[in-house]
Amino acid sequence: MEEDNQEFFWIKSEGMKKLATENLVIGNQVYKEKLITKKGIEYRLWEPFRSKLAASIMNELEVFPFKNKSKVLYLGVSTGTTISHISDIVGPSGIIFGVEHASRVARDFLDRVASYRKNIIPILQDARKPKEYFSIFGKVDVVYVDIAQPDQTEIAITNCKIYLKKNGYLFLVIKTRSIDVTKSPRRIIDEEILKLKENFDIIQVIDLHPYDKDHAMVIAKFHI
Ligand code: SAM
């Protein structure tokens, strides 16, 4: 096992180095991921084909602002695959506000993830109405957005203006095909980046191939 940092780990499994996080809830699996114990510490393998944040790490992500004790706003948690690994990383003194508007997936998320993890505050709300997240206090270090909506960039910007601290990071998953099927993915990404430029420095754009065909991850730093 190589300990590159405190946030995530590379663990040998079936002869290959695999990405993992230290499990905050011992024995608990979220999406049937493999659990591996080494030197008395339990790790959960983090599957890049299931999580776009894991895919970004596999594809040379250069900044990783999710740390022990970080405060995160996560829009579009779905059933909780990625947020569960962020929960491992930020640890018991960190906090993640997890927003989801679809009540059926939110139920699954509550049952399988949020109910086991005290550092996740579930918010059953529309990300278009950020002023209605009454449980958020103070500003966050990172805003993570994965909502696959045509106006996702505008939604991300509005949420950052209210909740992201200065010099905080935005992780924005761009579903290149959900915005306009007639445009090329590169053009879609460029247009979304242009919308961010007024308030953000673009740090990196990551193509998520081969883990995910239709998405890119944009990492941007908030400068207001
Ligand atoms: N981020 C998840 C992961 O990595 O495990 C996957 C997210 S999935 C692609 C997109 C989610 O965003 C869906 O569960 C959808 O219901 C949710 N969503 C879409 N529009 C939303 C909105 N306006 N407000 C809140 N959630 C929204």
Side-chain angles (χ1 to χ4, degrees):
M1 188 179 80
E2 283 173 35
E3 280 187 43
D4 286 348
N5 54 42
Q6 303 269 298
E7 287 86 40
F8 54 79
F9 302 85
W10 298 98
I11 306 247
K12 254 209 171 137
S13 169
E14 294 158 358
M16 282 163 71
K17 276 200 323 185
K18 298 212 172 142
L19 187 61
T21 52
E22 185 179 333
N23 199 357
L24 186 65
V25 187
I26 302 303
N28 182 252
Q29 286 167 294
V30 172
Y31 56 105
K32 299 202 176 96
E33 70 283 14
K34 197 168 172 182
L35 304 181
I36 297 178
T37 301
K38 299 227 162 150
K39 295 186 187 157
I41 297 175
E42 186 177 272
Y43 298 90
R44 295 195 299 132
L45 293 192
W46 191 0
E47 179 47 68
F49 286 95
R50 299 284 300 275
S51 165
K52 295 168 205 109
L53 184 54
S56 304
I57 295 169
M58 299 302 285
N59 286 0
E60 315 296 334
L61 174 63
E62 286 161 9
V63 289
F64 198 79
F66 305 90
K67 313 265 182 216
N68 184 33
K69 300 187 184 162
S70 289
K71 207 162 155 183
V72 178
L73 171 60
Y74 191 124
L75 309 182
V77 293
S78 186
T79 53
T81 303
T82 298
I83 198 175
S84 70
H85 288 283
I86 299 176
S87 158
D88 286 347
I89 292 164
V90 304
S93 306
I95 193 156
I96 314 157
F97 303 98
V99 178
E100 174 56 57
H101 75 160
S103 49
R104 230 176 52 144
V105 284
R107 163 65 42 210
D108 224 38
F109 165 62
L110 291 173
D111 290 346
R112 294 195 300 142
V113 183
S115 60
Y116 292 97
R117 294 172 174 270
K118 296 192 172 59
N119 61 8
I120 295 181
I121 313 248
I123 300 177
L124 189 50
Q125 269 294 350
D126 185 339
R128 289 191 179 86
K129 298 177 184 162
K131 290 197 173 136
E132 287 176 31
Y133 314 153
F134 295 116
S135 42
I136 298 199
F137 50 89
K139 298 245 171 178
V140 302
D141 304 296
V142 188
V143 173
Y144 186 98
V145 181
D146 183 13
I147 52 174
Q149 294 287 343
D151 55 343
Q152 58 198 5
T153 306
E154 288 81 358
I155 294 173
I157 294 169
T158 309
N159 277 267
C160 288
K161 283 185 174 167
I162 302 174
Y163 295 113
L164 184 58
K165 70 177 192 193
K166 187 172 191 266
N167 292 325
Y169 285 89
L170 166 66
F171 277 60
L172 175 62
V173 173
I174 298 191
K175 185 169 184 185
T176 49
R177 272 161 229 241
S178 74
I179 294 174
D180 185 338
V181 283
T182 63
K183 290 185 193 165
S184 79
R186 187 63 241 178
R187 209 175 126 202
I188 290 171
I189 293 167
D190 287 346
E191 285 176 5
E192 298 312 299
I193 284 176
L194 200 62
K195 295 177 193 166
L196 292 172
K197 282 201 166 146
E198 189 184 335
N199 304 118
F200 295 85
D201 297 323
I202 307 302
I203 305 294
Q204 201 181 358
V205 179
I206 305 176
D207 179 352
L208 300 182
H209 271 92
Y211 306 103
D212 192 301
K213 280 186 272 170
D214 297 333
H215 294 89
M217 179 74 82
V218 174
I219 297 104
K221 198 169 179 181
F222 196 40
H223 59 56
I224 58 159

